[in-house]
Amino acid sequence: MRVLGFLFVAGLALVLAIPCGAAVLTLGAMLDPATSETLSRLGLVGLFTGLEDLASGIGPETLLFALAAIGRALFVLLVVPPALVAVLGAVLGWRAATWYGAGTGLLTALVPWLARGLTRTGPSADALVLEGRITAVLFLTGAASGLVYWLIAGRHAGAPSENGRA
């Protein structure tokens, strides 16, 4: 019975942590001028390309595929890191806020780097600075969702303490 209660609380914590991470990602993208410019440039290019494709006769399924790709990317950035850190924290009995905050933040920030094989996008120093800013926004996104999870369920993860409470 105790396990079912923890699974319910952990699921609820993830359901609340994921939108918090999405909000921080949105806020970070809006407040950081370089990140905002890069994302808007990429978004506008994709929008114009999609509109041109629709005008030239390519069907709307192309837009559905693009939306599915965006959805997968957001899933990998917003859902996988807090879920993975939550499972590891529960299995290993780690209850520290630093594990949930920093662990989720580091994993979220590393996702784009791991996806492209830890290589830089450009040879210039400007490209490295831009990547650093985006990595910082992603770290804050993961840290926020990890800390929300910890506040709700992570403090009670793992083995019970000495006084018998979980």
Side-chain angles (χ1 to χ4, degrees), residues 143-160:
S145 63
L147 289 175
V148 167
Y149 178 86
W150 174 80
L151 283 171
I152 298 169
R155 295 180 295 164
H156 306 292

Side-chain angles (χ1 to χ4, degrees), residues 68-79:
I70 291 170
R72 278 192 304 264
L74 288 176
F75 180 82
V76 169
L77 281 175
L78 297 174
V79 177

Side-chain angles (χ1 to χ4, degrees), residues 104-165:
T104 308
L106 285 173
L107 190 57
T108 304
L110 282 177
V111 165
W113 290 88
L114 294 173
R116 66 174 188 238
L118 297 174
T119 59
R120 287 188 15 202
T121 58
S124 71
D126 292 337
L128 185 61
V129 169
L130 181 61
E131 284 181 352
R133 292 175 114 175
I134 292 172
T135 301
V137 168
L138 290 176
F139 177 81
L140 292 175
T141 298
S145 63
L147 289 175
V148 167
Y149 178 86
W150 174 80
L151 283 171
I152 298 169
R155 295 180 295 164
H156 306 292
S161 62
E162 292 178 13
N163 63 8
R165 292 186 197 165

